[in-house]
Amino acid sequence: MGEAKKTVLFIVEGPSDKTALEKIFKKIYRRSKNIVFKFTNGDISSDPDVDTKNVEDRIYDVIDRFIKDQKLQKSDIFQVVQIFDTDGTFIPDSTIFEGETYRFVYQDDGIHCKDIEKVKERNNKKSGIISFLLSMKDIKGLPYEMYFLSCNLDHALYNERNLDADKKQDYADAFYERFIGKEEKFIDFLKADVVNGTPDSLSGSWSYIKEDLHSIERHTNLHVYFIQHPRPDDLL
């Protein structure tokens, strides 16, 4: 009997994120880790009911439900990894412009919305929660790491910045199908198309995404996960 695989729980925002990424990660780490993706049904860092006082509890709720559903012990979880959309959160206020709709529209020059103050408030809240979480090494004793897709998953993976909600699942299905049988190519794809100058360290990448307009540009630091957590084959 071989040693049981360590369970790594990835937390993402929605079901299409899970569709696009879970099977790729499962295949890449098939020999060493049990990768599971769970989603929060929205951006926890922008939730009006979430702040720095309760965000850890909200994240742990997702973990606890998974543990109970799978009849596991807390000790069965090796690591928790959360992937955030940056959503232009860290751009300067001077790059928030009055738009034609109350929907946040992400463009090369910034965010456009009829209610500029609403964007500023969202950015201030979201950036505060992300910065707070970046100071944490664990969630109630479970090792915790954070990664980003910018300005969101659709932009990073499909180069579609303002994708309609009803198209997200179709794009996610197509994206995963692109890598069936060649999941290892996903890492090369990130480096070639999405990293776009993001540093190869976790702390450096988060510092980078907070600068200038980087959080609305096409970037990711997800490649750093594969650097920080090499598979046994990579160590040979």
Side-chain angles (χ1 to χ4, degrees):
M1 294 289 291
E3 184 180 348
K5 292 180 182 177
K6 300 170 180 177
T7 295
V8 179
L9 180 61
F10 279 74
I11 299 175
V12 292
E13 291 188 10
S16 64
D17 305 46
K18 175 182 168 78
T19 299
L21 296 172
E22 182 179 47
K23 291 180 181 178
I24 292 174
F25 273 81
K26 277 183 175 291
K27 190 67 176 289
I28 290 174
Y29 286 102
R30 64 192 178 279
R31 295 176 182 169
S32 58
K33 292 182 172 67
N34 176 36
I35 301 289
V36 180
F37 274 59
K38 303 298 285 185
F39 53 87
T40 55
N41 284 316
D43 178 7
I44 195 170
S45 60
S46 297
D47 188 323
D49 296 324
V50 175
D51 56 29
T52 56
K53 295 182 179 66
N54 64 7
V55 66
E56 182 181 10
D57 290 334
R58 289 291 294 270
I59 293 170
Y60 189 75
D61 285 344
V62 178
I63 303 167
D64 191 49
R65 283 198 301 271
F66 169 71
I67 290 173
K68 290 176 178 175
D69 288 346
Q70 298 300 311
K71 296 180 171 58
L72 299 175
Q73 301 294 321
K74 186 176 177 179
S75 57
D76 292 324
I77 307 299
F78 173 67
Q79 180 187 44
V80 176
V81 179
Q82 191 159 9
I83 303 176
F84 289 88
D85 292 347
T86 60
D87 294 323
T89 298
F90 302 105
I91 64 173
D93 285 350
S94 60
T95 57
I96 300 171
F97 305 103
E98 185 173 356
E100 298 179 354
T101 173
Y102 286 103
R103 179 186 178 191
F104 290 15
V105 178
Y106 302 101
Q107 301 291 356
D108 288 344
D109 61 348
I111 300 174
H112 297 248
C113 178
K114 271 191 174 182
D115 190 342
I116 291 177
E117 287 305 313
K118 182 180 177 182
V119 182
K120 290 180 180 179
E121 289 172 8
R122 192 289 307 262
N123 284 3
N124 184 59
K125 175 184 175 60
K126 183 178 172 77
S127 62
I129 288 177
I130 287 178
S131 295
F132 172 77
L133 289 173
L134 282 170
S135 71
M136 302 182 67
K137 301 300 181 186
D138 66 86
I139 297 293
K140 297 189 182 296
L142 293 172
Y144 177 71
E145 289 181 359
M146 298 165 57
Y147 293 85
F148 62 77
L149 293 164
S150 183
C151 75
N152 52 38
L153 178 135
D154 307 327
H155 187 209
L157 300 189
Y158 327 136
N159 202 22
E160 292 281 351
R161 201 185 254 138
N162 298 288
L163 190 64
D164 289 340
D166 59 354
K167 294 181 179 178
K168 286 179 180 287
Q169 192 62 44
D170 290 340
Y171 272 78
D173 289 336
F175 183 81
Y176 169 64
E177 289 170 8
R178 172 181 172 185
F179 291 96
I180 291 176
K182 47 187 177 182
E183 287 82 1
E184 305 282 345
K185 296 291 186 183
F186 173 70
I187 304 172
D188 296 331
F189 160 75
L190 291 179
K191 292 178 180 178
D193 288 23
V194 196
V195 171
N196 292 327
T198 306
D200 292 340
S201 71
L202 203 51
S203 61
S205 64
W206 276 104
S207 294
Y208 175 84
I209 207 64
K210 291 180 179 183
E211 297 171 350
D212 304 321
L213 289 172
H214 294 325
S215 63
I216 205 165
E217 297 167 350
R218 192 181 185 195
H219 296 289
T220 190
N221 65 349
L222 202 51
H223 69 297
V224 178
Y225 184 83
F226 301 102
I227 297 171
Q228 297 225 139
H229 304 283
R231 300 153 299 172
D233 291 350
D234 296 333
L235 299 174
L236 298 177

